[in-house]
């Protein structure tokens, strides 16, 4: 099942973001189903109106119950008309993996690291499809980074790779926007990865049954219609299970946390001239089967 968060309009909650799912089976679809809308099946309407809470409940189990339930027409809207938000509007944390694609390392003439190189990105950097990445004054040389993201569904602490996939709630597309100058100046990731709006996510979370082999997915990014990245998760240095297991030795992973698995070759600095983000541009990141995540680039409205 594909889970979404979207803006519910109308007198019953104008401006609120609520969770739902995409219904491909009902004629006329695909539809976004407003699960917690009054008038639905009582158990569904009583669900918490928050995707993080759904993730804690278990998306796979919830998908089974929702698939067996009929929702009246007022609970459905065409996917093309829905205003989608980030599937997890406020995740706990994003654990990013650096230097994790063989092609990107070859592009930089770097050897693969001996162990995963990870960093933390605040959940408050997250924005959804169509929302603007904002470039603040003085933040120069900003790049896109299309990535496969893994959503954690249960607590993981000091687990082994053989247990890792049991902790996966689903997969989605993520764009790890990064201020390269800050990373270089600081020799650290914190500031350059954690500027506001620097983590577009979406358009949906797909449960694992929708993604038969997450390590065989095309990953791409277009900037103003030009293909800038075109890789595959087959090229990961450390696979998904290894990343989850390693991260769990460094910190607890909790339901709703996100593992960003790294980005393939083709980031902005690798092009001639460099393809740094500029106000007025638009990025479209895509992971095969997980939808296209498009975001405009604008000047920050906060000085």
């Amino acid at each position: 099942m594909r889970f979404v968060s979207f803006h519910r309009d109308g007198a019953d909650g104008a401006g609120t973001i609520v969770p739902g799912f995409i219904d491909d089976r009902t004629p006329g679809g695909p539809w976004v189903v407003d699960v917690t809308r009054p008038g639905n099946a009582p158990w569904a309407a009583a669900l918490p109106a928050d995707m993080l809470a759904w993730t804690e409940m278990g998306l796979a189990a919830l998908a089974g119950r929702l698939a067996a339930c009929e929702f009246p027409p007022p609970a459905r809207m065409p996917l093309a008309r829905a205003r989608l938000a980030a599937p997890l509007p406020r995740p706990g944390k994003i654990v990013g993996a650096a230097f994790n694609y063989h092609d990107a390392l070859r592009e930089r003439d770097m050897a693969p690291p001996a162990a995963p190189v990870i960093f933390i990105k605040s959940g408050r950097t997250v924005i959804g499809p169509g929302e603007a990445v904002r470039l603040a004054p003085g933040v120069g040389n900003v790049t896109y980074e299309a990535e496969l993201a893994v959503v954690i569904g249960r607590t993981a602490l000091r687990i082994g790779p053989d247990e890792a996939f049991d902790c996966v709630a689903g997969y989605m597309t993520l764009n790890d926007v990064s201020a390269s100058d800050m990373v270089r100046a600081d020799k650290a990731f914190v500031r350059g990865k954690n500027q506001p709006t620097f983590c577009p996510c979406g358009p949906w979370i797909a449960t694992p049954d929708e993604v038969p082999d997450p390590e065989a997915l095309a990953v791409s990014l277009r900037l103003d219609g030009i293909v800038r990245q075109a890789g595959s998760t087959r090229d990961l240095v450390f696979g998904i299970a290894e990343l989850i297991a390693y991260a769990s030795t460094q910190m607890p992973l909790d339901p709703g946390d996100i593992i960003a698995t790294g980005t393939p070759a083709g980031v902005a600095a690798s092009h001639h001239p460099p393809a740094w983000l500029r106000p007025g541009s638009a990025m479209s990141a895509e992971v095969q089967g997980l939808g296209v995540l498009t975001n405009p680039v604008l000047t920050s409205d906060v000085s």
Side-chain angles (χ1 to χ4, degrees):
M1 182 169 280
R2 293 180 292 166
F3 287 93
V4 295
S5 292
F6 64 97
H7 297 265
R8 177 193 281 163
D9 297 322
D12 61 340
T16 59
I17 296 174
V18 295
F21 70 95
I22 296 174
D23 174 15
D24 293 304
R25 302 171 303 158
T26 305
W31 305 93
V32 170
V33 180
D34 189 348
V35 173
T36 61
R37 182 185 179 93
N40 291 342
W43 75 267
L47 285 170
D50 176 69
M51 186 61 73
L52 180 57
W54 285 19
T55 304
E56 292 170 342
M57 293 169 62
L59 292 184
L62 186 56
R65 295 192 70 188
L66 293 173
C69 189
E70 294 292 331
F71 290 90
R76 299 195 302 267
M77 73 180 76
L79 175 59
R81 283 177 35 206
R83 290 198 301 135
L84 298 182
L88 276 164
R90 281 290 175 265
K93 58 183 174 289
I94 299 102
V95 181
F99 316 125
N100 201 41
Y101 270 78
H102 288 289
D103 64 348
L105 290 168
R106 288 192 298 269
E107 185 175 64
R108 301 176 67 172
D109 195 25
M110 290 176 61
V117 177
I118 61 175
F119 57 89
I120 300 296
K121 201 169 175 101
S122 167
R124 298 192 70 83
T125 62
V126 165
I127 60 174
E131 293 187 70
V133 169
R134 300 276 182 172
L135 304 181
V139 180
N141 290 357
V142 176
T143 186
Y144 48 81
E145 294 185 15
E147 310 202 7
L148 169 67
V150 181
V151 178
I152 299 298
R154 65 177 67 172
T155 299
L157 180 61
R158 293 185 292 276
I159 65 169
D162 57 324
E163 305 169 85
F165 281 107
D166 293 336
C167 300
V168 175
Y171 302 94
M172 66 178 176
T173 302
L174 181 147
N175 188 349
D176 177 24
V177 178
S178 306
S180 298
D181 283 359
M182 287 181 170
V183 173
R184 189 177 300 108
D186 298 346
K187 296 182 173 58
F189 294 108
V190 175
R191 195 165 57 119
K193 297 285 189 178
N194 282 281
Q195 297 299 300
T197 74
F198 272 24
C199 195
C201 295
W204 56 70
I205 299 169
T207 48
D209 61 294
E210 299 264 350
V211 187
D213 188 354
E215 294 182 350
L217 302 176
V219 180
S220 63
L221 185 133
R222 292 176 180 268
L223 179 63
D224 296 329
I226 299 171
V227 176
R228 295 296 188 178
Q229 291 185 286
S232 170
T233 56
R234 293 183 187 275
D235 211 26
L236 290 171
V237 176
F238 299 100
I240 292 166
E242 293 172 285
L243 288 175
I244 293 172
Y246 180 81
S248 81
T249 68
Q250 308 299 302
M251 71 200 86
L253 300 177
D254 298 308
D257 286 351
I258 295 168
I259 306 289
T261 59
T263 199
V267 296
S270 68
H271 296 280
H272 303 284
W276 303 119
L277 299 183
R278 298 283 185 261
S281 290
M283 304 174 286
S284 292
E286 181 175 8
V287 177
Q288 182 181 351
L290 299 179
V292 179
L293 172 63
T294 298
N295 298 90
V297 180
L298 300 176
T299 301
S300 175
D301 53 6
V302 178
S303 59

